[in-house]
Amino acid sequence: MNKQVYAYQNATIDGPVKFSLSDPGTLTLLADQTTLQPVFGATWANGVWYGAEYNTVSPYNFISFDPTSGARTIIGNMGVGMTSLSYSPANSTMYGVNYDGANS
């Protein structure tokens, strides 16, 4: 299966990556974002790649990624940190999950 996949790596490579499902061990770094806040949740909605920057204090930025360059665009502060995002095309709603160590 030669399908292109996008992800955000917070380990050996800090930044958005792409890879082929036929070769998932070969990551291509789109942009080095080592000096930026890490991204813990991301999803696609209507052809746009969205993400949630992880931070322990505000701002908790909701962002979009350019899938070609990996560049981030800050859309706004979500008010709370999100560790996961998901989009439902059935009702055009984006969902976020937060975990504070005791509650989610």
Side-chain angles (χ1 to χ4, degrees), residues 81 83 97-104:
T83 56
V97 175
N98 173 295
Y99 181 70
D100 66 6
N103 303 293
S104 61

Side-chain angles (χ1 to χ4, degrees), residues 4-79:
Q4 187 85 343
V5 179
Y6 295 86
Y8 194 91
Q9 174 110 3
N10 288 310
T12 55
I13 300 172
D14 292 335
V17 296
K18 65 179 179 179
F19 60 94
S20 171
L21 286 179
S22 64
D23 187 14
T26 303
L27 304 178
T28 300
L29 181 64
L30 300 175
D32 183 350
Q33 298 185 351
T34 304
T35 62
L36 302 176
Q37 289 299 117
V39 174
F40 274 28
T43 191
W44 287 81
N46 301 317
V48 179
W49 185 12
Y50 293 100
E53 289 182 346
Y54 178 78
N55 206 344
T56 57
V57 296
S58 188
Y60 306 103
N61 289 326
F62 182 58
I63 61 173
S64 65
F65 288 104
D66 179 312
T68 302
S69 69
R72 295 182 189 193
T73 299
I74 296 174
I75 298 168
N77 185 347
M78 296 178 289

Side-chain angles (χ1 to χ4, degrees), residues 86-95:
S86 182
Y87 177 74
S88 171
N91 61 9
S92 299
T93 301
M94 189 168 297
Y95 298 91

